[in-house]
Every structure is written in structure tokens, then in C-alpha cells.
Amino acid sequence: MRNEYLMLCASIAVAIAGLPVAAMAQPATSTNAAIADLNTVEMPRVTKTVDSSVLSTVAQSHLGLLAKTTPTAVVADSTPMNHMQLILQRSALREGALNALISAQHDPKSPKFHTWLTPQEYGATFGVAEVDIAAVKSWLSSQGFTVHGVYPNKMQIDFSGTAGMVKRAFHTQENHYTLNKVSHIANASDISVPTALKDVVVGVAGLNDLRPQALHVAPKIAQFDATSQKFKITQPATVHNLVANPEAVSFQGGVRGLVPYDTAKMYGVDQLRASGITGKGITIAVVEDGSMVPADWTNFVSQFNLASYGGTFAQIQPQATPAMVNCIDPTIANPGEDDTETLLDAEWSTAIAPGANIVVASCDDSNGKNFFGGVFTAATNLINGASRPNVISASYGYGEGFVDAASKTAIDLMWAQADVEGISVFVSTGDSGTNPSFNGSVISGAGLDANAFATSPNVTGVGGTDTADVLDKTSSKYFSKTTNSEYGSALSYIPEIPWNQSCGNSLAAKFAGQPSALEFCKQYLTYDPYGYYVTSESGSGGPSSVDRKPAWQRQVHNAAKDQSRDLPDVSLFAGSYGGYTWVIICTAANPCVPGFTAPVSLEGGTSLSSPMFAGIQALIDQGLAASGLPAYQGNAAPTLYALAAQEYGGATGGTPASLDTCNSDNGAKGTGKCVFHNVTRSGISTQCIQQLPGVVTADCYFYGTIQNFQGLYGPVQVGLTSSSATAYTPKTTAYSSQQGWSFAAGLGSVNAKNLLTAWKAFDNAP
């Protein structure tokens, strides 16, 4: 056994050493002979007859949150369950070799620095052996399932069946449940598989229909007022508008709508654009479960004078292989209807990188067409396909508490493969503070959590910021009173705080003359006795309960002293306190017209932040390619943290003077030479509730009771998110900003021009 172990280690080492440099836009090269040898050296792991009467339970293969939830009905056996994913488990040796390669690919001193693989090379080196895959496929077919195919990564098998087949093969019952007031389907217990297969089967992704949700706020329809140079919300008043507004800021004169000119000015993108860096030649894919009207994108680039930069737009349904068709077109019901999330992602990645090729990769997951979800399918198909993008943005998510182990494993395996192939992936961290599963509602019945789609150590999690000028009363310093020919008004970079629309916003509390956010929230109760303004709307951050902290995240000043992968990594504008500042999107229902003489849609959320950072990465990629460096950079986070350590200082030792210099509060002049804008004020502690009597809400400090919440729900306790149920202090607040890295804003935002300069130096390091 010892000799076999050493032989396998040596073979893997030889295989990795022999890997060719992959040209990512080209068809896959033939598999290296040394890689092929792995399948002959590594012994099969399915060594016994597959007997469906000899079973092993797959731990954590159902949603733990169902333990306290009573099913509403049994799912009929005839219910289709299409395109589930059986997730495979590679050997420990191959897992170790993969981690070693990823580390080397991001180490400028390694000969494997930026040596990327194709999907076929990835599958041959790090996938499950063909003989073991054949055994699993044979068993699935014997249970009546339709096996659609094996992915090139050799880590997942696409198959379909019915709820009855799932019950018989995996020994679990599919039930209907109501979670967060939404009806869902999920397996009631952990699954079982034949013991002979247990070493190569992680589980099944798609046994429940809880899928990542879009992370944008509800759009507002507004009309531009040329006199005030502001937008006035035109939507009908809702019931809570009848209650005295308790917020610190009154926006009776209208709200602000940012345009591409503004964000380019804020983040140093305009300086790159002036030198010809526009993202030209770089492909950004936004992965979606809905489609958009293509004319929206054309309207957007026309309205904001971006067409001359030569960017392109395409909307596709990617397939991993021609024979395995599992991405179904989420067709638009009528010509005037499109998906807000999709067009936000496509338009605002273009806003930053107007010369880039934008690809909307969308797969339907409605009506059981794709049971594990369209967003995952779109992403994994792109990553396994013949033509792969340079950059992927995913503006979707849900907390790790809402994901079973197999589904989380599938997500992490997908993003690791993208990294090995050189694809830079950006994922929104969430829109509901310390728990991303409550977008558009209030945290209840759950504690601290992090976005399962973003906690992979192979992606860059993007949080949300707000411009601080309104609450600082400095708008005249950073915005002109009138808009220019491109409808922009930003004058420079603007100091930022974490995006937080709740009374937990400590800067808003100060603006209102309150000594603390806690006292400000207590004042809310006086003016908002029914809780219509109670909200958890905020940029999200927090530690993973699944993924371990990567080494690169430990190397910066004030990195959390935990063992968890922490979010966010970076942040960009997402929204504002009180809903004052938004971005403009052009939709089919409300197209943009010259002068904004017709109503337009205003949007926000970390769904905006992620595609904007994807746009910044496209600029970086083009700039590097122009210098003869690779246009594919893989996961951006390791480089971002290495560069941040230069400005903020490392995890140990003294801190450089630039830690103070690069404070976001110093504005444009102070941070002009910085790569990062360090966000150090306020935080993302938001409101949370607990119905009485009801399910206990963890990690919430309750400061009061609303006797009839929103006039419908009876007595509800209301609090602020905290790591302590008995104290709300700077140490327990979840979470505050600080110098260096924080759960509230990560490393902060960036100056794109300075980032490119620093990145070039990093890539050229000996």
C-alpha cells in the first residue's frame, strides 16, 4: 500500500509538471500522456458489486433547517425532477494536488503561475476515474433514471427522473414545505446510496428547489425633474407612506440617479478609458435564470454615449457538451417583459467596461425544467464549455443555512474549476446585512450567515457601499448641481460607508442627532409604531460555516482571527440610506430617452456591485494583455489581498502610513495614489425581528416590541444584529467597519487606474 501511495504521488506530480499552458479561448488540447497515466496508476475505488440492498447514509444530504418545519404535503411520485446533478468525490490525493496547483497558479514565483487548464485537462487530472464513473452511471440507469451525460470535469453527472424514482433509489421522501412564506420542495431526510459507491458519491444537488435568489432591491419608477436635476419617485404610495417617516433624511426634492459617467469618475475608470483601456477583447459573462430584451442593452449604450467603444452583446443558453442539453431558454412571455436582474448585470458591467463583450448566459429553472437551478447550470456549463469567458459575474445567493452539503459542494467544485481555468469570478455577497437569505424582508428565525454562492475560496465576494456625502452634508463638494451631456454629475471619488438602509446605520444616527444607532432605532419606534420601516436591507458580510479561510485572506491588517472564509473581499456602490441614490437602468417597459423626458427605472443592491467589479476586472485584463501578460487571471482575490497588504499592512507587525492615507474619508485628493479606498465608518448591523411567541431569532439584540407588526402579525420583538443577545457594543455589533479589512466592506473599493498599475507590477514580480 505504501508503494502504491508513493507511486500515485509521483504520478500526480509528473502530470502537473507536464501540463501545457492552455490558451483559454482555443479548443482543448489533447490530454497529456502523463495525465492519462493517472487513471491507470490510481486504483478503482468502486471495488465491490453495487448492491442496492446494502446501503450507506450520506450525511447532511438534506436541509437542516427542515428539522423544525412541518411538511404541508407529500410530493406526488409522478412529479418530474429534471437535470439533477450527482456530485462525485475525487480521491484525497487528487484533492491535495488540485489545491497545490491553485496555490502555484497564483504565486508569481512559481513556474505554474498563470498556467491554466482546459476542462478536459482538469477532468483528466482531478476528476474521478472513468471506471468509477461508469459504475455510478450504470447504477443510476438501473434505478430508472435518464442519464444525460458526464461533465468534462468528471465530477458531476446530469440525470433526470421523478420524485418516485428518488424515493426508491435514494430512500428519501420529497415533501412540500413553506419557508419564508414561499412554497418549496425538499427531501425530508438524508439520502442513502449503495455502500459500494459511497467513496465516490458526495450526494445529489437538486433534491430541493431552494435556489440562489437575485440580489437586487425592488426597482423604483421615477421621472426626471429638469429644474431640480433630481428624479421623483412616481410609483403609488404604499400603506407605510401614510405613517410619519422616521428616517433621518427627507428627500422631498427628489432622489439621485447615477449614470455610467458617475461610477467611472468615482472609481478611476475614466482615467483608464482616456488611455484606451475599455475592456476591448475581454468577455464578461453574467449568469442568470431569466432573459432580457436585447434592445435594452442597445438603448443603454446609446443613452449614455457608450456605443463608440465597440462593446458587444449576446444572449445564449450555454451547453457543456453538444449531447447534454440541460440549459433551457427562459423565454420572455411578451416583448415588453424582461428580467430586472439580467438587464442590471448586463448594462452595468458595460457601464464600467464599454468595450467588453457582454454575454448573458441564462438557463430556465421554472416549472422543474432544471431542478438545481438555472444560474448554477449557466455557470457550470460555461466553465465546462469549449469557449470560456475571461470573467464571470453572479449576482445571486442565499445563506449557507439554506443549502444542503451536496449543493454547497457542487458550488465550490464549480468555482474551483473556474479558477484553475483562469476565469475570474465575482459574486455578490447579499442585500440583507448579516444574513443574505432575507433580501427584501427582515432577518427572522436565523442567525449570522454568509452567501453560500460566494464563500468559495476561489471567487471574489463583492459587498456594497453607499456614498457618504448626503449624511456628511458634503454633496456640493462631490457632485455638481447640474448634469453634463452624459447625464453625469460626480466630480471625483466620494467617501464611502457600508450600504445600510436600516436605523442600524450609525452615520445616519449621528446625522439625526442621536448618540448611537441603538438610540436611533429606539426613536424609530416612536414614529413607526407598526414597523413599516423595519428593514434588513444592507450589504452583506460574515464568516462561512463551511469553507476554511484561505492563506491569502490571512495576510492583511485586521483580517478576522477565525478559521473561516470571510466575506466580503471588496465592495462597490450598491445603494443608499433612505433610498436617496440609485443607478439608472434602461428597460423595455421604461426605456431611456434623451433628456429623460419619460419615466425610468432606478435600481440598486449588491447585484450592481458584482457586475461593476467584473467590469473593472475586464479593464485589468485588457491592460495586462496590452503589456504581454495573460488576459486570464483566475480568482482575483489572492492578488487583491496581496496588494492590500502593501497599503494596509500585514496581519502582524507595524502598519504603513498609507493605512491612514488610503482611508476613504480622505476623498479624492487624499486617496489619489491608493489602490484601495479603506471604508472605516458605520457598518452593516441591521434590524431583526422575532414574532411572539415564535421561533427564536439568534444573534439579535432586542431593544423593543411592536404590538402589531405592520398591522397584521401581532406582537413582534425588534432588535439589531449582534453576536450577543444580551449586549449591543462595538465588540458585539455585527458588523462594524474598521481600518484594514472588515466584515462590513472587506478591503473597501478600488481606484481602477491604480489597481492596474499595481497588478502589472505584481504579475511581473520575479
Side-chain angles (χ1 to χ4, degrees):
M1 178 62 75
R2 176 64 176 167
N3 289 339
E4 290 177 358
Y5 177 90
L6 293 173
M7 289 174 60
L8 182 54
C9 287
S11 296
I12 291 177
V14 169
I16 292 175
L19 287 174
V21 177
M24 298 305 298
Q26 303 300 317
T29 59
S30 60
T31 304
N32 186 282
I35 297 174
D37 285 344
L38 289 175
N39 287 327
T40 60
V41 174
E42 184 173 53
M43 300 298 290
R45 288 182 290 150
V46 180
T47 58
K48 298 179 180 179
T49 301
V50 180
D51 185 346
S52 292
S53 66
V54 181
L55 302 172
S56 291
T57 300
V58 179
Q60 298 181 316
S61 51
H62 82 296
L63 289 169
L65 59 86
L66 298 179
K68 298 180 181 179
T69 306
T70 302
T72 58
V74 171
V75 174
D77 283 354
S78 59
T79 302
M81 296 183 69
N82 295 318
H83 298 295
M84 295 174 282
Q85 302 286 315
L86 192 142
I87 309 303
L88 300 171
Q89 175 67 57
R90 63 172 62 91
S91 68
L93 287 172
R94 293 193 189 220
E95 183 70 20
L98 172 61
N99 292 333
L101 176 61
I102 291 174
S103 180
Q105 287 175 320
H106 291 283
D107 180 1
K109 297 179 181 179
S110 169
K112 294 304 170 189
F113 183 53
H114 290 168
T115 300
W116 312 116
L117 306 189
T118 66
Q120 288 72 23
E121 290 165 343
Y122 179 89
T125 315
F126 304 116
V128 172
E130 292 281 5
V131 63
D132 292 331
I133 292 174
V136 177
K137 285 176 59 181
S138 177
W139 175 74
L140 284 172
S141 296
S142 73
Q143 301 302 302
F145 293 111
T146 299
V147 177
H148 300 290
V150 179
Y151 273 79
N153 61 20
K154 297 184 180 179
M155 291 299 296
Q156 59 199 95
I157 301 173
D158 187 287
F159 71 106
S160 297
T162 64
M165 292 178 189
V166 166
K167 179 168 63 177
R168 291 187 293 273
F170 295 106
H171 308 277
T172 188
Q173 176 64 54
E174 294 289 326
N175 290 331
H176 292 279
Y177 297 90
T178 299
L179 300 170
N180 278 354
K181 302 178 183 179
V182 178
S183 179
H184 288 285
I185 291 174
N187 54 308
S189 60
D190 284 345
I191 68 172
S192 295
V193 298
T195 298
L197 301 177
K198 68 180 181 65
D199 289 341
V200 296
V201 172
V202 170
V204 178
L207 293 180
N208 64 71
D209 65 354
L210 275 79
R211 302 167 186 134
Q213 299 300 303
L215 297 173
H216 64 261
V217 301
K220 301 292 184 183
I221 309 303
Q223 177 65 60
F224 185 66
D225 185 330
T227 301
S228 67
Q229 295 283 289
K230 296 290 195 321
F231 289 85
K232 293 189 175 181
I233 305 296
T234 60
Q235 290 166 313
T238 54
V239 64
H240 68 269
N241 292 129
L242 302 177
V243 180
N245 190 330
E247 293 173 343
V249 181
S250 175
F251 305 132
Q252 297 302 314
V255 301
R256 185 163 61 197
L258 299 180
V259 299
Y261 175 93
D262 296 318
T263 52
K265 179 68 70 174
M266 289 163 58
Y267 295 123
V269 169
D270 61 330
Q271 300 172 64
L272 288 178
R273 198 171 291 173
S275 64
I277 303 298
T278 64
K280 185 176 179 61
I282 304 301
T283 298
I284 303 172
V286 294
V287 291
E288 315 287 347
D289 59 14
S291 291
M292 64 179 284
V293 176
D296 294 343
W297 184 87
T298 305
N299 179 205
F300 185 84
V301 298
S302 174
Q303 176 77 357
F304 299 116
N305 299 329
L306 301 175
S308 62
Y309 294 106
T312 65
F313 174 87
Q315 191 162 215
I316 65 170
Q317 282 68 56
Q319 310 295 345
T321 67
M324 188 171 63
V325 180
N326 60 3
C327 181
I328 295 91
D329 185 1
T331 53
I332 299 167
N334 62 71
E337 178 182 317
D338 48 13
D339 187 271
T340 299
E341 178 61 57
T342 303
L343 63 90
L344 173 65
D345 295 347
E347 291 177 359
W348 277 89
S349 53
T350 294
I352 299 297
N357 306 311
I358 306 301
V359 174
V360 171
S362 56
C363 301
D364 197 353
D365 61 12
S366 63
N367 301 318
K369 293 177 181 176
N370 195 311
F371 224 77
F372 190 41
V375 175
F376 174 88
T377 304
T380 196
N381 285 5
L382 280 172
I383 293 163
N384 281 277
S387 179
R388 293 172 299 287
N390 303 81
V391 185
I392 288 176
S393 176
S395 294
Y396 292 75
Y398 48 3
E400 290 179 339
F402 285 72
V403 186
D404 61 277
S407 297
K408 175 58 175 162
T409 299
I411 293 166
D412 286 355
L413 288 173
M414 172 178 70
W415 294 142
Q417 182 183 350
D419 194 4
V420 170
E421 293 178 5
I423 302 172
S424 303
V425 178
F426 298 88
V427 184
S428 305
T429 59
D431 291 4
S432 49
T434 58
N435 194 312
S437 297
F438 294 87
N439 186 25
S441 60
V442 186
I443 294 172
S444 175
L448 307 180
D449 206 351
N451 183 4
F453 227 54
T455 48
S456 160
N458 301 106
V459 305
T460 302
V462 187
T465 63
D466 179 6
T467 59
D469 62 295
V470 175
L471 296 176
D472 282 343
K473 303 179 183 179
T474 58
S475 294
S476 61
K477 182 178 179 180
Y478 298 105
F479 288 92
S480 65
K481 292 183 178 179
T482 58
T483 57
N484 59 24
S485 61
E486 295 180 36
Y487 307 103
S489 59
L491 300 174
S492 67
Y493 172 70
I494 305 128
E496 294 169 277
I497 59 174
W499 168 46
N500 186 344
Q501 293 187 200
S502 80
C503 60
N505 186 323
S506 59
L507 189 59
K510 180 180 178 181
F511 182 95
Q514 295 296 320
S516 67
L518 180 58
E519 293 303 316
F520 186 37
C521 287
K522 290 178 179 178
Q523 283 283 46
Y524 257 58
L525 290 179
T526 303
Y527 298 99
D528 184 26
Y530 292 99
Y532 290 118
Y533 286 89
V534 172
T535 181
S536 296
E537 208 72 32
S538 170
S540 292
S544 172
S545 59
V546 178
D547 292 308
R548 293 182 61 82
K549 186 189 294 295
W552 44 259
Q553 194 169 41
R554 299 180 185 276
Q555 66 186 29
V556 70
H557 180 65
N558 268 336
K561 305 268 191 306
D562 59 16
Q563 300 303 314
S564 301
R565 167 72 170 112
D566 297 317
L567 296 177
D569 296 309
V570 288
S571 295
L572 291 178
F573 177 79
S576 67
Y577 175 79
Y580 178 69
T581 305
W582 306 74
V583 298
I584 297 171
I585 55 175
C586 304
T587 72
N590 293 284
C592 298
V593 298
F596 293 119
T597 56
V600 295
S601 291
L602 304 179
E603 254 298 357
T606 56
S607 278
L608 165 68
S609 311
S610 179
M612 285 203 300
F613 217 107
I616 289 176
Q617 186 64 44
L619 303 179
I620 300 299
D621 290 350
Q622 184 198 351
L624 293 173
S627 299
L629 298 168
Y632 284 83
Q633 291 291 304
N635 184 18
T639 301
L640 291 170
Y641 277 84
L643 299 179
Q646 297 173 12
E647 287 189 349
Y648 297 169
T652 60
T655 55
S658 52
L659 176 64
D660 291 326
T661 301
C662 297
N663 192 314
S664 170
D665 293 341
N666 293 329
K669 292 183 179 179
T671 62
K673 295 182 179 180
C674 298
V675 171
F676 296 92
H677 308 120
N678 192 190
V679 177
T680 61
R681 285 188 292 164
S682 194
I684 59 169
S685 178
T686 65
Q687 288 164 293
C688 40
I689 60 173
Q690 178 172 284
Q691 198 161 359
L692 299 172
V695 177
V696 174
T697 298
D699 303 314
C700 186
Y701 173 77
F702 297 105
Y703 58 80
T705 300
I706 295 173
Q707 293 305 320
N708 191 10
F709 188 64
Q710 297 185 357
L712 294 172
Y713 301 106
V716 168
Q717 282 186 300
V718 60
L720 284 167
T721 53
S722 170
S723 60
S724 170
T726 59
Y728 190 77
T729 67
K731 185 174 288 187
T732 64
T733 300
Y735 296 101
S736 296
S737 300
Q738 61 183 6
Q739 282 194 320
W741 182 90
S742 73
F743 284 115
L747 299 171
S749 65
V750 298
N751 178 299
K753 176 181 178 296
N754 295 342
L755 178 60
L756 175 58
T757 300
W759 204 303
K760 285 181 180 179
F762 181 84
D763 274 13
N764 277 321

